[in-house]
Amino acid sequence: QKVGIKDLLADYNQALKLNPNDATAYYNRGLLYANQQKWELALADYNQALQLNPNYANAYYNRGIVRYQMGDRQGSIQDLQKSAELFYQQGNMSLYQQAIDVLKQI
């Protein structure tokens, strides 16, 4: 059975209602909004995920992409640099390199 975007959104909303401190649920809902180009909603969810987990490298990375889409080049660079630093510290060299490659294109 195919799961629609509305179903996913409802699931994330329910998860956050049950556990409002779930950084991963905010992050995943942010991904859903970003894929829909709902930049403000995505940004708000990434901000919340990072407030709950300041070492969430993926959230910094994706917030950097969203900020770039919104025209905030400086914010984008800061987030991508932070994500690269965290990926490096966490030993995730492939995502570290990916963040560096994106930075070079900005």
Side-chain angles (χ1 to χ4, degrees):
Q1 149 178 344
K2 189 175 178 182
V3 177
I5 289 174
K6 287 182 181 178
D7 296 326
L8 289 172
L9 185 57
D11 287 349
Y12 293 135
N13 290 338
Q14 182 63 27
L16 288 166
K17 192 181 295 183
L18 294 171
N19 182 5
N21 296 317
D22 186 349
T24 303
Y26 281 107
Y27 171 77
N28 286 329
R29 191 173 70 178
L31 287 175
L32 183 67
Y33 286 139
N35 283 329
Q36 295 177 298
Q37 298 183 1
K38 294 180 178 179
W39 307 126
E40 295 286 344
L41 293 171
L43 183 65
D45 276 353
Y46 293 142
N47 288 341
Q48 190 62 35
L50 288 165
Q51 187 174 341
L52 294 167
N53 179 359
N55 294 315
Y56 204 152
N58 286 311
Y60 277 108
Y61 178 87
N62 284 289
R63 188 174 75 173
I65 300 299
V66 166
R67 283 180 157 176
Y68 184 78
Q69 293 294 331
M70 296 174 75
D72 180 5
R73 186 173 181 273
Q74 194 57 44
S76 175
I77 289 169
Q78 289 172 351
D79 279 349
L80 290 165
Q81 287 174 335
K82 181 68 174 177
S83 75
E85 175 187 319
L86 289 168
F87 285 135
Y88 187 84
Q89 289 172 3
Q90 295 164 6
N92 191 331
M93 292 303 128
S94 64
L95 287 178
Y96 164 78
Q97 190 59 54
Q98 183 176 327
I100 295 298
D101 290 345
V102 171
L103 276 164
K104 289 177 184 174
Q105 295 174 21
I106 291 180

